[in-house]
Coordinates of all heavy atoms in Angstrom, one line a residue:
M932 N 5.4 15.1 49.5 CA 6.5 14.2 49.5 C 6.3 13.0 48.5 O 7.2 12.3 48.2 CB 6.8 13.7 50.9 CG 7.9 12.7 51.0 SD 9.0 13.1 52.3 CE 10.0 11.6 52.4
A933 N 5.1 12.9 48.1 CA 4.8 11.7 47.2 C 4.9 12.1 45.8 O 4.8 13.3 45.4 CB 3.4 11.2 47.5
F934 N 5.2 11.1 45.0 CA 5.2 11.3 43.5 C 3.9 11.0 42.9 O 3.0 10.4 43.6 CB 6.3 10.4 42.9 CG 7.7 10.8 43.4 CD1 8.7 9.8 43.5 CD2 8.1 12.1 43.7 CE1 10.0 10.1 43.9 CE2 9.3 12.4 44.1 CZ 10.3 11.4 44.2
E935 N 3.7 11.3 41.6 CA 2.5 11.0 40.9 C 2.8 10.4 39.6 O 3.9 10.7 39.0 CB 1.7 12.3 40.7 CG 1.0 12.8 41.9 CD 0.1 14.0 41.6 OE1 -0.4 14.1 40.5 OE2 0.0 14.9 42.5
I936 N 1.9 9.6 39.1 CA 2.0 9.0 37.7 C 1.1 9.8 36.8 O 0.0 10.0 37.1 CB 1.7 7.5 37.8 CG1 2.8 6.7 38.6 CG2 1.6 6.9 36.4 CD1 2.5 5.3 38.8
T937 N 1.7 10.1 35.6 CA 0.9 10.9 34.7 C 0.3 10.1 33.6 O 0.5 8.8 33.5 CB 1.9 11.9 34.0 OG1 2.7 11.2 33.1 CG2 2.7 12.7 35.0
A938 N -0.4 10.7 32.7 CA -1.1 10.1 31.6 C -0.1 9.5 30.6 O -0.5 8.7 29.7 CB -2.0 11.0 30.9
S939 N 1.2 9.8 30.7 CA 2.2 9.3 29.8 C 2.5 7.8 30.1 O 3.1 7.1 29.3 CB 3.5 10.0 30.0 OG 3.3 11.4 29.6
C940 N 2.1 7.3 31.3 CA 2.3 6.0 31.7 C 1.7 5.0 30.7 O 0.6 5.2 30.2 CB 1.7 5.7 33.1 SG 1.6 4.0 33.6
I941 N 2.5 3.9 30.4 CA 2.0 2.9 29.4 C 1.6 1.6 30.1 O 1.3 0.6 29.5 CB 3.1 2.6 28.4 CG1 4.4 2.1 29.1 CG2 3.4 3.8 27.5 CD1 5.4 1.5 28.2
G942 N 1.6 1.7 31.5 CA 1.1 0.5 32.2 C 1.9 -0.7 32.1 O 1.4 -1.8 32.1
C943 N 3.3 -0.5 32.1 CA 4.2 -1.7 32.0 C 4.3 -2.5 33.2 O 4.8 -3.6 33.2 CB 5.5 -1.2 31.5 SG 6.5 -0.4 32.8
N944 N 3.9 -1.9 34.4 CA 3.9 -2.6 35.7 C 5.2 -2.7 36.4 O 5.3 -3.2 37.5 CB 3.3 -4.0 35.6 CG 2.8 -4.6 36.9 OD1 2.0 -3.9 37.5 ND2 3.2 -5.8 37.3
A945 N 6.3 -2.2 35.7 CA 7.6 -2.3 36.3 C 7.7 -1.6 37.7 O 8.3 -2.1 38.6 CB 8.6 -1.7 35.4
C946 N 7.2 -0.4 37.8 CA 7.3 0.3 39.0 C 6.6 -0.4 40.2 O 7.1 -0.4 41.3 CB 6.7 1.7 38.8 SG 5.0 1.8 38.3
K947 N 5.5 -1.0 39.9 CA 4.7 -1.6 40.9 C 5.5 -2.8 41.5 O 5.4 -3.0 42.7 CB 3.4 -2.2 40.3 CG 2.4 -2.7 41.3 CD 1.0 -2.9 40.6 CE -0.1 -3.3 41.6 NZ 0.2 -4.5 42.3
L948 N 6.3 -3.4 40.7 CA 7.1 -4.6 41.2 C 8.2 -4.2 42.1 O 8.6 -5.0 43.0 CB 7.6 -5.4 40.0 CG 6.6 -6.0 39.1 CD1 7.3 -6.7 37.9 CD2 5.7 -7.0 39.8
V949 N 8.8 -3.0 41.9 CA 10.0 -2.6 42.6 C 9.7 -1.7 43.8 O 10.6 -1.4 44.6 CB 11.0 -2.0 41.7 CG1 11.5 -3.0 40.7 CG2 10.5 -0.7 41.1
C950 N 8.5 -1.1 43.9 CA 8.2 -0.2 45.0 C 8.3 -0.9 46.4 O 7.5 -1.8 46.7 CB 6.8 0.4 44.8 SG 6.4 1.6 46.2
P951 N 9.2 -0.4 47.2 CA 9.3 -1.0 48.6 C 8.2 -0.7 49.5 O 8.0 -1.4 50.5 CB 10.6 -0.4 49.1 CG 10.7 0.9 48.4 CD 10.1 0.7 47.0
Q952 N 7.4 0.3 49.2 CA 6.3 0.7 50.0 C 5.0 0.2 49.6 O 3.9 0.5 50.2 CB 6.2 2.2 50.1 CG 7.4 2.9 50.8 CD 7.3 2.8 52.3 OE1 8.0 2.1 53.0 NE2 6.2 3.4 52.8
K953 N 5.0 -0.6 48.5 CA 3.7 -1.1 47.9 C 2.7 0.1 47.7 O 1.5 0.0 48.1 CB 3.1 -2.2 48.7 CG 4.0 -3.4 48.9 CD 3.3 -4.6 49.4 CE 4.2 -5.8 49.6 NZ 5.1 -6.1 48.5
A954 N 3.3 1.2 47.2 CA 2.5 2.4 47.0 C 1.8 2.6 45.7 O 1.1 3.5 45.5 CB 3.4 3.6 47.3
I955 N 2.1 1.7 44.8 CA 1.6 1.8 43.4 C 0.4 0.9 43.1 O 0.5 -0.3 43.4 CB 2.8 1.6 42.4 CG1 3.8 2.7 42.6 CG2 2.2 1.7 40.9 CD1 5.1 2.5 41.8
T956 N -0.6 1.5 42.7 CA -1.9 0.7 42.4 C -2.3 0.9 41.0 O -1.9 1.8 40.3 CB -3.0 1.2 43.3 OG1 -3.3 2.6 43.0 CG2 -2.7 1.1 44.8
V957 N -3.1 -0.1 40.6 CA -3.7 0.0 39.2 C -5.1 0.4 39.3 O -6.0 -0.3 39.9 CB -3.6 -1.4 38.6 CG1 -4.0 -1.3 37.1 CG2 -2.2 -2.0 38.7
G958 N -5.4 1.6 38.8 CA -6.7 2.2 38.8 C -7.5 1.8 37.6 O -7.0 1.1 36.7
P959 N -8.7 2.2 37.5 CA -9.5 1.9 36.3 C -9.0 2.5 35.0 O -9.2 2.0 33.9 CB -10.9 2.5 36.6 CG -10.6 3.5 37.7 CD -9.4 3.1 38.5
K960 N -8.3 3.6 35.1 CA -7.7 4.3 33.9 C -6.2 4.1 33.8 O -5.7 4.0 32.7 CB -8.1 5.8 33.9 CG -9.6 6.0 33.7 CD -9.8 7.5 33.5 CE -11.3 7.8 33.2 NZ -11.6 9.2 33.2
Q961 N -5.5 4.2 34.9 CA -4.1 4.1 34.8 C -3.5 3.8 36.2 O -4.2 3.8 37.2 CB -3.5 5.4 34.3 CG -3.6 6.6 35.3 CD -2.8 7.8 34.8 OE1 -3.1 8.4 33.8 NE2 -1.9 8.3 35.6
Y962 N -2.2 3.6 36.2 CA -1.5 3.4 37.5 C -1.4 4.7 38.3 O -1.4 5.8 37.7 CB 0.0 2.9 37.2 CG 0.0 1.5 36.8 CD1 -0.6 1.0 35.6 CD2 0.7 0.5 37.5 CE1 -0.5 -0.3 35.2 CE2 0.8 -0.8 37.2 CZ 0.2 -1.2 36.0 OH 0.2 -2.5 35.6
S963 N -1.4 4.5 39.6 CA -1.3 5.7 40.4 C -0.5 5.4 41.7 O -0.3 4.2 42.0 CB -2.6 6.3 40.8 OG -3.4 5.3 41.5
I964 N 0.0 6.4 42.3 CA 0.8 6.3 43.6 C 0.0 6.7 44.8 O -0.6 7.9 44.7 CB 2.1 7.1 43.5 CG1 3.0 6.5 42.3 CG2 2.8 7.1 44.8 CD1 4.2 7.4 42.0
L965 N -0.1 5.9 45.7 CA -0.9 6.2 47.0 C 0.0 7.2 47.8 O 1.1 6.8 48.3 CB -1.2 5.0 47.8 CG -2.1 3.9 47.1 CD1 -2.1 2.6 47.9 CD2 -3.5 4.5 46.8
P966 N -0.4 8.5 47.9 CA 0.4 9.5 48.6 C 0.7 9.1 50.0 O 1.8 9.5 50.6 CB -0.4 10.7 48.5 CG -1.8 10.3 48.1 CD -1.7 9.0 47.5
H967 N -0.2 8.4 50.7 CA 0.1 8.1 52.1 C 1.1 7.0 52.3 O 1.6 6.7 53.4 CB -1.2 7.8 52.8 CG -1.9 6.5 52.4 ND1 -2.6 6.5 51.2 CD2 -1.9 5.3 52.8 CE1 -3.1 5.3 51.0 NE2 -2.7 4.5 52.0
R968 N 1.4 6.3 51.2 CA 2.4 5.2 51.2 C 3.7 5.6 50.7 O 4.8 5.1 51.1 CB 1.9 4.0 50.5 CG 0.9 3.1 51.2 CD 0.5 1.9 50.5 NE -0.2 1.0 51.3 CZ 0.3 -0.1 52.0 NH1 1.6 -0.3 51.9 NH2 -0.4 -0.8 52.7
C969 N 3.7 6.4 49.6 CA 5.0 6.8 49.0 C 5.8 7.7 49.9 O 5.4 8.7 50.4 CB 4.8 7.5 47.7 SG 6.3 8.1 46.9
N970 N 7.1 7.3 50.2 CA 8.0 8.1 51.0 C 9.2 8.4 50.2 O 10.3 8.7 50.7 CB 8.4 7.4 52.3 CG 9.2 6.2 52.1 OD1 9.4 5.8 50.9 ND2 9.8 5.6 53.1
E971 N 9.1 8.4 48.8 CA 10.2 8.6 47.9 C 11.3 7.7 48.1 O 12.5 8.0 47.9 CB 10.6 10.1 48.0 CG 9.5 11.0 47.6 CD 9.9 12.5 47.5 OE1 11.1 12.8 47.6 OE2 9.0 13.3 47.3
C972 N 11.0 6.5 48.7 CA 12.0 5.4 48.9 C 13.1 5.8 50.0 O 14.1 5.1 50.1 CB 12.8 5.1 47.6 SG 11.7 4.1 46.4
V973 N 12.8 6.8 50.8 CA 13.7 7.2 51.8 C 13.8 6.0 52.8 O 12.8 5.5 53.3 CB 13.2 8.5 52.5 CG1 14.1 8.8 53.8 CG2 13.3 9.6 51.6
G974 N 15.1 5.7 53.1 CA 15.3 4.6 54.1 C 15.4 3.2 53.4 O 15.7 2.2 54.0
H975 N 15.0 3.2 52.1 CA 15.1 1.9 51.3 C 16.2 2.0 50.3 O 17.0 1.0 50.2 CB 13.8 1.6 50.6 CG 12.6 1.4 51.5 ND1 12.4 0.3 52.3 CD2 11.5 2.2 51.8 CE1 11.3 0.4 53.0 NE2 10.8 1.5 52.7
H976 N 16.2 3.0 49.5 CA 17.1 3.2 48.4 C 17.6 4.6 48.2 O 16.9 5.5 48.7 CB 16.5 2.7 47.1 CG 16.0 1.3 47.1 ND1 16.8 0.2 46.9 CD2 14.7 0.8 47.3 CE1 16.1 -0.9 47.0 NE2 14.8 -0.6 47.2
A977 N 18.7 4.8 47.6 CA 19.2 6.1 47.4 C 18.4 6.9 46.3 O 18.3 8.1 46.4 CB 20.7 6.1 46.9
D978 N 17.8 6.1 45.4 CA 17.0 6.8 44.3 C 15.6 6.2 44.3 O 15.4 5.0 44.6 CB 17.7 6.5 42.9 CG 19.1 7.0 42.9 OD1 19.3 8.2 43.1 OD2 20.0 6.3 42.5
P979 N 14.6 7.0 43.9 CA 13.3 6.5 43.8 C 13.2 5.3 42.8 O 13.6 5.5 41.6 CB 12.5 7.7 43.3 CG 13.3 8.9 43.6 CD 14.7 8.4 43.5
Q980 N 12.8 4.1 43.3 CA 12.9 3.0 42.4 C 11.9 3.0 41.2 O 12.2 2.5 40.2 CB 12.6 1.7 43.3 CG 13.7 1.5 44.3 CD 15.1 1.3 43.7 OE1 15.4 0.2 43.1 NE2 15.9 2.3 43.7
C981 N 10.8 3.6 41.4 CA 9.8 3.7 40.3 C 10.4 4.5 39.2 O 10.3 4.0 38.0 CB 8.5 4.3 40.8 SG 8.7 5.9 41.6
A982 N 11.0 5.6 39.5 CA 11.6 6.4 38.4 C 12.8 5.8 37.8 O 13.1 5.9 36.6 CB 11.9 7.8 38.9
S983 N 13.5 5.0 38.6 CA 14.7 4.4 38.1 C 14.4 3.3 37.1 O 15.2 3.1 36.1 CB 15.5 3.8 39.3 OG 16.0 4.7 40.1
I984 N 13.3 2.6 37.2 CA 13.0 1.5 36.3 C 12.0 2.0 35.2 O 11.9 1.3 34.2 CB 12.4 0.3 37.1 CG1 12.6 -0.9 36.3 CG2 10.9 0.6 37.5 CD1 12.4 -2.2 37.1
C985 N 11.3 3.1 35.4 CA 10.3 3.5 34.4 C 10.9 3.8 33.1 O 11.9 4.5 33.0 CB 9.6 4.7 34.9 SG 8.3 5.3 33.8
P986 N 10.4 3.1 32.0 CA 11.0 3.3 30.7 C 10.4 4.5 29.9 O 10.8 4.8 28.8 CB 10.6 2.0 30.0 CG 9.3 1.7 30.6 CD 9.3 2.1 32.0
V987 N 9.5 5.3 30.6 CA 8.8 6.4 29.9 C 9.2 7.7 30.5 O 9.0 7.9 31.7 CB 7.3 6.2 29.9 CG1 6.6 7.3 29.1 CG2 6.9 4.8 29.3
E988 N 9.7 8.6 29.7 CA 10.0 10.0 30.1 C 8.6 10.7 30.5 O 7.6 10.5 29.8 CB 10.7 10.8 29.0 CG 12.1 10.2 28.7 CD 12.7 10.8 27.5 OE1 12.0 11.4 26.7 OE2 13.9 10.5 27.3
T989 N 8.7 11.4 31.5 CA 7.5 12.2 32.1 C 6.4 11.4 32.6 O 5.3 12.0 32.9 CB 7.0 13.2 31.0 OG1 6.2 12.5 30.0 CG2 8.0 14.0 30.3
A990 N 6.6 10.1 32.9 CA 5.5 9.3 33.4 C 5.4 9.5 34.9 O 4.3 9.2 35.5 CB 5.7 7.9 33.1
I991 N 6.4 9.9 35.6 CA 6.4 10.1 37.0 C 6.9 11.5 37.4 O 7.9 11.9 36.9 CB 7.2 9.0 37.8 CG1 6.8 7.6 37.4 CG2 7.2 9.2 39.3 CD1 7.7 6.5 37.9
V992 N 6.1 12.2 38.1 CA 6.5 13.6 38.5 C 6.5 13.8 40.0 O 5.9 13.0 40.7 CB 5.5 14.6 37.9 CG1 5.5 14.6 36.4 CG2 4.1 14.4 38.4
N993 N 7.3 14.8 40.4 CA 7.3 15.0 41.9 C 6.2 16.0 42.3 O 5.3 16.3 41.5 CB 8.7 15.6 42.3 CG 9.0 16.9 41.6 OD1 8.1 17.6 41.1 ND2 10.2 17.4 41.7
A994 N 6.2 16.4 43.5 CA 5.1 17.2 44.1 C 5.0 18.5 43.3 O 3.9 19.1 43.3 CB 5.3 17.4 45.5
E995 N 6.1 19.0 42.7 CA 6.0 20.3 42.0 C 5.6 20.0 40.5 O 5.6 21.0 39.7 CB 7.4 21.0 42.0 CG 7.8 21.5 43.4 CD 8.3 20.5 44.3 OE1 9.1 19.7 43.9 OE2 7.8 20.5 45.5
G996 N 5.4 18.8 40.2 CA 5.0 18.5 38.8 C 6.2 18.3 37.8 O 6.0 18.3 36.6
R997 N 7.4 18.3 38.4 CA 8.6 18.1 37.6 C 8.8 16.6 37.3 O 8.8 15.8 38.3 CB 9.8 18.7 38.3 CG 11.0 18.9 37.4 CD 12.0 19.8 38.0 NE 11.4 21.1 38.3 CZ 11.9 21.9 39.2 NH1 12.9 21.6 40.0 NH2 11.3 23.1 39.5
A998 N 9.1 16.3 36.0 CA 9.3 14.9 35.7 C 10.6 14.4 36.3 O 11.6 15.0 36.2 CB 9.3 14.7 34.2
L999 N 10.5 13.2 36.9 CA 11.8 12.6 37.4 C 12.6 12.1 36.3 O 13.9 12.1 36.4 CB 11.4 11.4 38.4 CG 11.1 11.9 39.8 CD1 9.8 12.5 39.9 CD2 11.2 10.7 40.7
N1000 N 12.0 11.7 35.2 CA 12.8 11.3 33.9 C 12.3 12.4 32.9 O 11.4 12.1 32.1 CB 12.5 9.9 33.5 CG 13.0 8.9 34.5 OD1 14.1 9.0 35.0 ND2 12.2 7.9 34.7
P1001 N 12.9 13.5 32.8 CA 12.5 14.6 31.9 C 12.7 14.2 30.5 O 13.5 13.3 30.2 CB 13.3 15.8 32.3 CG 14.4 15.3 33.1 CD 14.1 13.9 33.7
P1002 N 12.1 14.9 29.5 CA 12.3 14.7 28.1 C 13.7 14.6 27.7 O 14.5 15.5 28.1 CB 11.5 15.8 27.4 CG 10.5 16.2 28.4 CD 11.1 16.0 29.8
G1003 N 14.1 13.6 27.0 CA 15.5 13.4 26.6 C 16.4 12.7 27.5 O 17.5 12.2 27.2
S1004 N 15.9 12.5 28.8 CA 16.8 11.8 29.8 C 17.0 10.3 29.5 O 18.0 9.8 29.9 CB 16.2 12.0 31.2 OG 14.9 11.4 31.3
L1005 N 16.0 9.7 28.9 CA 16.1 8.3 28.6 C 16.5 8.0 27.2 O 17.2 7.1 26.8 CB 14.8 7.5 29.0 CG 14.3 7.7 30.4 CD1 13.0 7.0 30.6 CD2 15.4 7.1 31.4
T1006 N 15.9 8.8 26.3 CA 16.1 8.6 24.9 C 17.3 9.3 24.3 O 17.9 8.9 23.3 CB 14.9 9.1 24.0 OG1 14.8 10.5 24.3 CG2 13.6 8.4 24.5
G1007 N 17.8 10.3 25.0 CA 18.9 11.1 24.5 C 18.4 12.1 23.4 O 19.2 12.9 22.9
L1008 N 17.1 12.0 23.1 CA 16.6 13.0 22.1 C 16.2 14.3 22.7 O 15.7 14.3 23.8 CB 15.3 12.4 21.4 CG 15.5 11.1 20.7 CD1 14.2 10.5 20.3 CD2 16.4 11.3 19.5
P1009 N 16.4 15.4 22.0 CA 16.1 16.7 22.6 C 14.6 16.9 22.7 O 13.8 16.2 22.0 CB 16.7 17.7 21.6 CG 16.8 16.9 20.3 CD 17.0 15.5 20.7
D1010 N 14.2 17.7 23.7 CA 12.8 18.0 23.9 C 12.2 18.6 22.7 O 12.7 19.6 22.2 CB 12.7 19.0 25.1 CG 11.2 19.3 25.5 OD1 10.3 18.9 24.7 OD2 11.0 19.9 26.5
E1011 N 11.1 18.0 22.1 CA 10.5 18.4 20.9 C 10.1 19.9 20.9 O 10.3 20.7 20.0 CB 9.3 17.6 20.5 CG 8.8 17.8 19.1 CD 7.6 16.9 18.9 OE1 7.6 15.8 19.4 OE2 6.8 17.3 18.1
R1012 N 9.6 20.4 22.1 CA 9.2 21.8 22.2 C 10.4 22.7 22.1 O 10.3 23.8 21.5 CB 8.5 22.0 23.5 CG 7.1 21.3 23.6 CD 6.6 21.3 25.0 NE 7.5 20.6 25.9 CZ 7.4 20.4 27.2 NH1 6.4 20.9 27.8 NH2 8.3 19.7 27.9
K1013 N 11.5 22.3 22.6 CA 12.7 23.1 22.5 C 13.2 23.2 21.1 O 13.7 24.2 20.7 CB 13.8 22.6 23.5 CG 13.6 22.8 24.9 CD 14.7 22.3 25.8 CE 14.4 22.5 27.2 NZ 15.3 21.8 28.1
V1014 N 13.1 22.0 20.4 CA 13.6 22.0 19.0 C 12.7 23.0 18.2 O 13.2 23.7 17.4 CB 13.5 20.6 18.4 CG1 13.8 20.6 16.9 CG2 14.5 19.7 19.1
V1015 N 11.4 22.9 18.4 CA 10.5 23.8 17.6 C 10.8 25.2 18.0 O 10.9 26.1 17.1 CB 9.0 23.4 18.0 CG1 8.1 24.5 17.4 CG2 8.7 22.1 17.5
A1016 N 11.0 25.6 19.2 CA 11.2 26.9 19.6 C 12.5 27.4 19.0 O 12.6 28.6 18.5 CB 11.3 27.0 21.2
L1017 N 13.6 26.6 19.0 CA 14.9 26.9 18.4 C 14.8 27.2 16.9 O 15.3 28.1 16.4 CB 15.9 25.8 18.7 CG 17.3 26.1 18.3 CD1 17.9 27.4 19.0 CD2 18.2 24.9 18.6
S1018 N 14.0 26.3 16.2 CA 13.9 26.5 14.8 C 13.1 27.7 14.4 O 13.4 28.4 13.5 CB 13.3 25.2 14.2 OG 12.0 25.0 14.7
K1019 N 12.1 28.1 15.3 CA 11.4 29.3 15.0 C 12.3 30.5 15.2 O 12.3 31.5 14.5 CB 10.2 29.4 16.0 CG 9.0 28.5 15.6 CD 7.9 28.7 16.5 CE 6.7 27.8 16.1 NZ 5.6 27.9 17.1
R1020 N 13.1 30.4 16.3 CA 14.0 31.5 16.6 C 15.0 31.7 15.4 O 15.3 32.8 15.0 CB 14.8 31.3 17.9 CG 15.3 32.5 18.5 CD 16.0 32.3 19.8 NE 15.2 31.4 20.7 CZ 15.7 30.6 21.6 NH1 17.0 30.4 21.7 NH2 15.0 29.9 22.4
R1021 N 15.5 30.6 14.9 CA 16.5 30.7 13.8 C 15.8 31.2 12.5 O 16.4 31.9 11.8 CB 17.1 29.3 13.5 CG 18.1 28.9 14.6 CD 18.8 27.6 14.2 NE 19.9 27.3 15.1 CZ 20.3 26.1 15.4 NH1 19.8 25.1 14.8 NH2 21.2 25.9 16.3
A1022 N 14.5 30.9 12.3 CA 13.8 31.3 11.1 C 13.7 32.8 11.1 O 13.6 33.5 10.1 CB 12.5 30.6 11.1
R1023 N 13.6 33.4 12.4 CA 13.4 34.9 12.5 C 14.7 35.6 12.2 O 14.7 36.8 11.9 CB 12.9 35.2 13.8 CG 11.4 34.9 14.0 CD 10.8 35.6 15.2 NE 11.5 35.3 16.5 CZ 11.0 34.3 17.3 NH1 9.9 33.6 16.9 NH2 11.6 34.0 18.4
L1024 N 15.9 34.9 12.3 CA 17.2 35.6 12.1 C 17.5 35.9 10.7 O 17.0 35.3 9.8 CB 18.3 34.7 12.7 CG 18.2 34.5 14.2 CD1 19.3 33.6 14.7 CD2 18.3 35.9 15.0
Ligands
SF4_2137 S1 9.3 6.8 45.1 FE1 9.6 4.8 46.0 S2 8.0 4.6 47.6 FE2 7.3 6.2 46.2 S3 6.1 5.2 44.6 FE3 8.2 5.3 43.9 S4 9.1 3.3 44.4 FE4 7.3 3.6 45.7
SF4_2138 S1 7.1 2.0 35.2 FE1 6.4 3.9 34.3 S2 5.3 3.3 32.4 FE2 5.5 1.5 33.7 S3 3.6 1.4 34.9 FE3 5.1 2.5 36.1 S4 4.8 4.7 35.6 FE4 3.8 3.5 34.1

């Protein structure tokens, strides 16, 4: 039920300030979410506050490893891997 912070995190501290469960800590290498504290904001907010405020795509993932802010969701730019795959496919035509 807890989320995780990935290596994409830039350490802006925004998520730590808004987490209602005080579940976000600063480790020696990067920010992380304490799984026993994170309840995905249930009972506090309709949306996970860390993901709502995070400015970095793919910095926070759910238990399945899926980014809460997937590539392109904040920037509007297409996923680079999809662009490369599409251009390769077109080159073969
Ligand atoms: S989902 Fe909510 S409770 Fe969990 S770390 Fe993010 S802000 Fe905190
Ligand atoms: S808001 Fe996003 S980028 Fe900023 S510290 Fe939290 S996870 Fe890292």
Side-chain angles (χ1 to χ4, degrees):
M932 180 130 168
F934 296 148
E935 285 183 33
I936 293 176
T937 72
S939 300
C940 169
I941 59 170
C943 72
N944 202 51
C946 58
K947 191 170 186 294
L948 297 176
V949 298
C950 177
Q952 290 285 112
K953 300 196 183 315
I955 298 172
T956 62
V957 187
K960 289 188 176 173
Q961 69 172 61
Y962 282 65
S963 61
I964 295 174
L965 298 170
H967 64 283
R968 280 186 170 264
C969 174
N970 69 350
E971 300 186 7
C972 288
V973 173
H975 297 287
H976 301 280
D978 301 307
Q980 295 301 284
C981 54
S983 295
I984 202 166
C985 181
V987 181
E988 295 168 349
T989 74
I991 303 174
V992 297
N993 65 15
E995 289 79 43
R997 192 166 304 156
L999 276 74
N1000 294 318
S1004 62
L1005 302 178
T1006 61
L1008 297 172
D1010 184 348
E1011 191 178 330
R1012 289 168 301 178
K1013 287 182 183 168
V1014 171
V1015 170
L1017 184 60
S1018 59
K1019 283 181 180 173
R1020 200 176 314 147
R1021 283 190 178 150
R1023 284 197 298 269
L1024 295 176

